[in-house]
Amino acid sequence: MDGDFLQLCAIGLAIGVGAMSPGASFLLVTRVALSSPFSASLGVAIGLGSGAMIFAFIALFGLQAVLNIIPGLHQVLNLLGGGYLLWRAVNILNKKPQVKGKDLATPTLTFTQALFRGLLTQLSNPNTAMVFASLFTPLLDHHVSTMFYLTVPGMTFFIDFLWFIFVAIILSQALPKRVYLRNNVAIDRLSAGILGLLGLKLLLK
């Protein structure tokens, strides 16, 4: 039991550090928190946490073995993920700018739309699953309990969810939203540029 607990702590710490790293997920939470009501931020955080949980399940149950059997699968996943991020970047650039001073009471995203956008954004980066696989492999052995294997994905969800909902709470305050409304065109262009670069990075891997 002590061994399982120590392994969970080590995995949880690594997942937490990864969740806090800047990337497409952080960028999505930032934009939604600044431009939409809190319900949309909640949906995004649930979607991102769910995507991380799915990747944790995949990594725990043999991702590396599957990629060894089908060498080209990783490249296909990179192409799909990169294509999605580029598509999102183009959508942001084509979005009609918000009027300065306009109230944000009307949601730009519903809870369900935000949830699925968070899920797709998380799943668009297959390298997350590769990181989980490389992380879990040296920490796991054949003597851990079944409950341990079930606990890791759930822990992954809660770590990602709690981090991103914390970010959303901070950024959904009145002052950050006023700053966004005054500078939404420049901020959206910067967001699109970063997403585009992340997408190209996946496509060129």
Side-chain angles (χ1 to χ4, degrees), residues 50-61:
S50 299
M53 181 174 67
I54 291 170
F55 275 145
F57 266 118
I58 294 172
L60 280 171
F61 296 102

Side-chain angles (χ1 to χ4, degrees), residues 41-89:
S41 298
L42 179 63
V44 165
I46 292 173
L48 291 170
S50 299
M53 181 174 67
I54 291 170
F55 275 145
F57 266 118
I58 294 172
L60 280 171
F61 296 102
L63 171 68
Q64 195 62 55
V66 172
L67 292 177
N68 288 337
I69 295 171
I70 313 173
L73 179 59
H74 190 207
Q75 183 61 34
V76 171
L77 294 175
N78 279 339
L79 291 173
L80 290 173
Y84 174 74
L85 291 180
L86 285 175
W87 175 75
R88 286 291 310 129

